[in-house]
Amino acid sequence: MFSSLYALMVKEIQAERLVAAATLLAGPGSGAKTLSGAKMLVWPDRHAGSLGDAGLDEEVLRVATDALARQQSERFTFRQGESEWDIFVDIFPPPPQLVIVGAVHIAIPLVTFAKALGFRTIVVDARRAFATPERFAHADRLLIGWPADILPTLNLNESTCLVTLTHDEKLDNPALLVALNSPVRYIGALGSKRTHASRVAALKEAGATDAQIARIHAPIGLDLGGRRPEEIAVAIMAQIVQVVNRKEDGGMTG
């Protein structure tokens, strides 16, 4: 059982799917039910394996699901009467990636800053005049085509951040709809408050719910007072870092 769970865990990590491994470090009594090293794999929507006690499994599922949302490994102690279990929940998140919709001027330094912070960078745009290898030689991938067609082919997972920068509703809005129906960690959209109000109306007409739209950070970025492309890129990355670290954030006009 342990070897099959380990093989499954390796497969999930290699496929870049978010998974947690809960391991029993110590427990009461002896025998299979409290065997140290027992494992349970937990995904956001399911689990596999057991730690040998149904009540313990239920408690671990609860804390592991929260740890998955935070993408933070943690050690827990559970007590029931005189019994005590020591559990380590190890989180294996996919590598962080930033998907940028719009090969605009802001995107050039944004790729630079994102890569410095360890993000895989993907730039998507249907406009060949902007999306050139010369402008984005530093990006990990440059994809030319309509975002609504390209984004569903990408692995938009819980470690993905996505920003739309084109100011063109034909590009931005379809991209946002794809993102809103995915588990991406951060969604940001460039534009003023007036632009965002128009965007919200269009997204609702296309079927987006209020809860989904609330996931969009708009106006995008922290309000650092900057206006140059490099300064706006810094503000965007600062907000992404803040959200990834689960801190409160504000916005800036764009």
Side-chain angles (χ1 to χ4, degrees), residues 19-61:
V19 65
T23 303
L24 176 61
L25 302 179
S30 61
K33 290 186 66 176
T34 55
L35 182 65
S36 294
K39 287 186 180 296
M40 180 168 64
L41 298 185
V42 183
W43 294 263
D45 58 350
R46 68 190 190 281
H47 72 280
S50 173
L51 299 178
D53 181 277
L56 177 62
D57 287 351
E58 185 176 342
E59 286 296 314
V60 171
L61 277 173

Side-chain angles (χ1 to χ4, degrees), residues 1 4-6 11 23 26 31 34-35 41 46 66 73 87 101 116 127 156 174 188 191 199-201 221 225 229 242:
M1 181 63 175
S4 63
L5 280 179
Y6 179 78
K11 179 181 177 181
T23 303
T34 55
L35 182 65
L41 298 185
R46 68 190 190 281
D66 178 66
S73 300
I87 308 292
V101 176
R127 303 166 300 180
L156 302 180
R199 176 189 296 133
V200 167
Q242 194 175 59

Side-chain angles (χ1 to χ4, degrees), residues 120-251:
R120 176 194 301 155
T121 55
I122 303 173
V123 179
V124 181
D125 204 320
R127 303 166 300 180
R128 293 180 179 273
F130 294 97
T132 66
E134 294 76 18
R135 283 162 55 84
F136 291 98
H138 58 323
D140 292 297
R141 299 179 69 186
L142 175 62
L143 304 176
I144 301 174
W146 291 97
D149 296 328
I150 292 177
L151 294 183
T153 70
L154 303 179
N155 182 16
L156 302 180
N157 55 49
E158 293 88 349
S159 292
T160 300
C161 297
L162 183 143
V163 299
T164 62
L165 305 177
T166 75
H167 278 297
D168 185 338
E169 63 181 18
K170 298 190 301 297
L171 295 168
D172 286 352
N173 290 358
L176 289 170
L177 284 172
V178 174
L180 292 174
N181 286 286
S182 76
V184 297
R185 197 175 181 95
Y186 171 93
I187 303 171
L190 187 68
S192 65
K193 291 181 179 179
R194 179 178 297 180
T195 298
H196 187 59
S198 175
R199 176 189 296 133
V200 167
L203 292 174
K204 285 186 176 181
E205 187 174 348
T209 66
D210 288 337
Q212 287 179 314
I213 292 171
R215 296 176 60 197
I216 302 173
H217 292 81
I220 196 172
L222 298 186
D223 188 359
L224 304 180
R227 289 296 177 267
R228 294 189 297 122
E230 295 82 1
E231 293 171 333
I232 296 173
V234 167
I236 292 171
M237 282 312 304
Q239 187 176 60
I240 288 173
V241 169
Q242 194 175 59
V243 170
V244 166
N245 288 293
R246 301 177 70 84
K247 300 294 185 179
E248 292 298 321
D249 61 302

Side-chain angles (χ1 to χ4, degrees), residues 60-113:
V60 171
L61 277 173
R62 178 179 58 81
V63 298
T65 299
D66 178 66
L68 280 168
R70 293 182 285 109
Q71 295 192 15
Q72 183 175 337
S73 300
E74 196 165 345
R75 187 168 179 166
F76 300 93
T77 299
F78 298 93
R79 296 179 178 85
Q80 184 176 4
E82 296 182 357
S83 298
E84 183 175 291
W85 294 269
D86 195 12
I87 308 292
F88 184 70
V89 177
D90 202 0
I91 307 298
F92 298 95
Q97 67 178 356
L98 176 62
V99 178
I100 302 170
V101 176
V104 297
H105 293 315
I106 296 169
I108 297 172
L110 185 57
V111 167
T112 299
F113 299 148

Side-chain angles (χ1 to χ4, degrees), residues 3-27:
S3 61
S4 63
L5 280 179
Y6 179 78
L8 178 57
M9 180 181 72
V10 171
K11 179 181 177 181
E12 294 298 284
I13 294 171
Q14 291 176 339
E16 299 187 358
R17 286 189 284 265
L18 177 65
V19 65
T23 303
L24 176 61
L25 302 179

